Amino acid sequence: MVAALDRRYPPAWAEEWDRVGLVLGEPAAPVRRVACVVDVVPETVAEALAAGADMIVAHHPLLLRGVSSVAATTYKGRIVHRLIKADVALYVAHTNADVADPGVSDALAARFGLTGLRPLHPPRPGSPADGPGRGIGRIGELPTPLTLAELARHAAAVLPVTAWGVRAAGDPGRMVRTLAVSGGSGDSFLAEATAAGVDAFLTADLRHHPAGEHLAAGGPALLDAAHWATERPWLDDLAAQLRDELGVETVVSDLDTDPWTVHAAAPRPDDKEPRP
């Protein structure tokens, strides 16, 4: 199992700061059922154990930064102890799955029916990840042009439901034909979206100042979705690949791990009741 995952998502493709590959478990241990999750949190671990999974394949690393202890008195330590006691392996495919073809953003692009896909941010020439079709993010054509307002509503309908929903920045009436998408935090690719000449860019975790300056400079319209929602679609592709190529059973977590749980839109001025 580990060898097959390493072939599809080579650890060498990951960013230098990333921590991917086998985190817990014996590489040669038999795996009959795999749980696919975005985040390794107590709730998704409980789902995996209840489903009888032998391995969790996660997108986000559990141990991204160095630690000096995995004691059961710590949040992550408790997760590590629970997995080891249950004899459940943990494997992470993060930025190496982002850059893969197909990868995280291909699954996101498929939700919008994008065609003519090409990378938004190709790997550096000569780097381990360099290769045809690979790179972070995807650019493609929508099946039917939509206004930005229509696209925002469409995005909210085709992406996994979260309290965050989808917000957009730009002229609501702007026509969008070409769309760039990038699963996860994508405001570091605003310049690439502008250089590509797309009409809009959908990603997550957009910040106030970079977004405002991007729009002021004439960049594409922006759509900001929940981080989890932009990466959850990849789990379906991952699960299908594991079933079809390796013959293992798979379960996909639909547990919304986005930390934002309440959304309240301000009422429109004409919806407010007159003061007495």
Side-chain angles (χ1 to χ4, degrees):
M1 176 62 70
V2 172
L5 287 165
D6 282 351
R7 285 193 299 270
R8 187 172 180 85
Y9 307 112
W13 290 0
E15 296 290 334
E16 290 183 1
W17 51 263
D18 206 1
R19 299 293 180 267
V20 300
L22 186 66
V23 180
L24 300 170
E26 295 288 342
V31 175
R32 293 170 292 273
R33 182 172 297 168
V34 178
C36 304
V37 308
V38 172
D39 294 294
V40 185
V41 295
E43 293 81 3
T44 55
V45 168
E47 280 187 335
L49 298 186
D54 305 298
M55 172 183 275
I56 294 174
V57 178
H59 185 49
H60 291 150
L62 174 65
L63 303 173
L64 181 60
R65 296 176 177 84
V67 297
S68 59
S69 170
V70 288
T73 54
T74 65
Y75 173 78
K76 292 186 177 181
R78 285 190 292 274
I79 293 175
V80 170
H81 278 252
R82 189 171 188 188
L83 290 173
I84 291 175
K85 287 180 178 179
D87 199 21
V88 174
L90 172 61
Y91 185 96
V92 170
H94 191 212
T95 53
N96 50 332
D98 288 332
V99 77
D101 177 26
V104 172
S105 289
D106 292 285
L108 179 57
R111 293 289 178 114
F112 295 88
L114 299 185
T115 57
L117 296 182
R118 63 187 192 277
L120 171 64
H121 179 72
R124 176 177 49 81
S127 68
D130 187 22
R134 292 199 286 267
I136 294 177
R138 294 293 182 265
I139 297 169
E141 300 281 335
L142 286 168
T144 304
L146 299 170
T147 66
L148 178 60
E150 290 170 336
L151 180 58
R153 290 191 290 270
H154 181 61
V158 300
L159 292 177
V161 176
T162 61
W164 179 271
V166 177
R167 57 183 183 176
D171 178 0
R174 178 173 180 168
M175 293 303 301
V176 178
R177 295 173 177 82
T178 55
L179 176 66
V181 299
S182 184
S185 302
D187 65 5
S188 60
F189 306 118
L190 292 174
E192 281 90 339
T194 299
V198 299
D199 299 314
F201 176 35
L202 181 145
T203 187
D205 301 340
L206 290 174
R207 294 172 295 159
H208 176 88
H209 293 294
E213 292 169 10
H214 163 87
L215 293 172
L222 300 175
L223 296 103
D224 186 32
H227 192 123
W228 174 83
T230 63
E231 295 175 331
R232 162 60 185 83
W234 171 69
L235 299 184
D236 293 325
D237 289 0
L238 170 66
Q241 177 252 328
L242 294 176
R243 288 194 306 269
D244 296 344
E245 296 183 13
L246 302 178
V248 298
E249 298 179 23
T250 57
V251 291
V252 174
S253 175
D254 276 317
L255 181 68
D256 177 5
T257 53
D258 189 69
W260 307 106
T261 57
V262 177
H263 173 86
R268 296 179 181 275
D270 55 0
D271 290 339
K272 293 180 180 178
E273 296 182 3
R275 294 181 179 180

